[in-house]
Amino acid sequence: ETGVTQSPTHLIKTRGQQVTLRCSSQSGHNTVSWYQQALGQGPQFIFQYYREEENGRGNFPPRFSGLQFPNYSSELNVNALELDDSALYLCASSVDWIGELFFGEGSRLTVL
Amino acid sequence: SQQGEEDPQALSIQEGENATMNCSYKTSINNLQWYRQNSGRGLVHLILIRSNEREKHSGRLRVTLDTSKKSSSLLITASRAADTASYFCATEMMPSGGSNYKLTFGKGTLLTVNP
């Protein structure tokens, strides 16, 4: 059974640029949630996708957008990067939209 | 917005001792979960306790839930150096008026177990 994988693991961008982060969900899981974790903080919910539809969104601006594909993998896109977007971005998959989440190792984004 | 708050923020103990971490939350929940994170890596699910349960065990872990006080505790018995990590509580609630779901995390407790 393959776990949740995220890419890239680390990346550096400059202000104003755009970034795409990718996530492959665990086999058999149809739901993907994305979280942002700033240094020393708990993960903050960005949004969730269930069967290719957005199924909930946290308090993040529209420049944070996402997609889920028919194989249930997902992308997180962030436009017009700001310094405060520097964080660990975590993807988690689950069976349906409730219960235990299975996390990937994260993508660490640094915005200069 | 922060739903769960862990207490203490940091805890340092000796190997073999027990570690207790607490979590308080603000609104009604469907369930409460505890996760562990090793130094900036992904989170690992430890245990889930439903709102109609009061206590749950898993190996060296014991979780309690008091919905009247909106609080939970995580007890790790006979701690080991490998237990050193950050521990987060997360609450699952259904926002009113819709089916949107989210799991809301606290800021975590940093546990250090000294050999």
Side-chain angles (χ1 to χ4, degrees), chain A residues 9-79:
Chain A
T9 54
H10 295 81
L11 68 167
I12 299 173
K13 293 284 187 178
T14 56
R15 276 185 302 174
Q17 285 189 313
Q18 177 265 344
V19 68
T20 298
L21 307 178
R22 295 178 175 84
C23 172
S24 293
S25 59
Q26 185 163 315
S27 176
H29 289 185
N30 56 16
T31 303
V32 171
S33 302
W34 285 92
Y35 287 82
Q36 180 197 65
Q37 187 178 23
L39 203 60
Q41 301 295 314
Q44 296 289 313
F45 178 73
I46 303 175
F47 42 56
Q48 180 187 82
Y49 280 85
Y50 170 66
R51 294 186 177 180
E52 302 179 60
E53 297 287 333
E54 186 176 289
N55 187 44
R57 188 179 183 92
N59 190 26
F60 281 82
R63 58 190 186 83
F64 285 77
S65 63
L67 282 174
Q68 187 179 33
F69 300 100
N71 66 355
Y72 302 130
S73 65
S74 178
E75 285 182 357
L76 164 65
N77 299 290
V78 187
N79 294 323

Side-chain angles (χ1 to χ4, degrees), chain A residues 35 37 48 97 101 105, chain B residues 33 35 37 41 92 101 103:
Chain A
Y35 287 82
Q37 187 178 23
Q48 180 187 82
W97 61 88
L101 298 183
E105 292 295 328
Chain B
Q33 304 178 36
Y35 287 80
Q37 184 179 37
R41 304 191 64 183
E92 178 190 307
Y101 155 83
L103 195 63

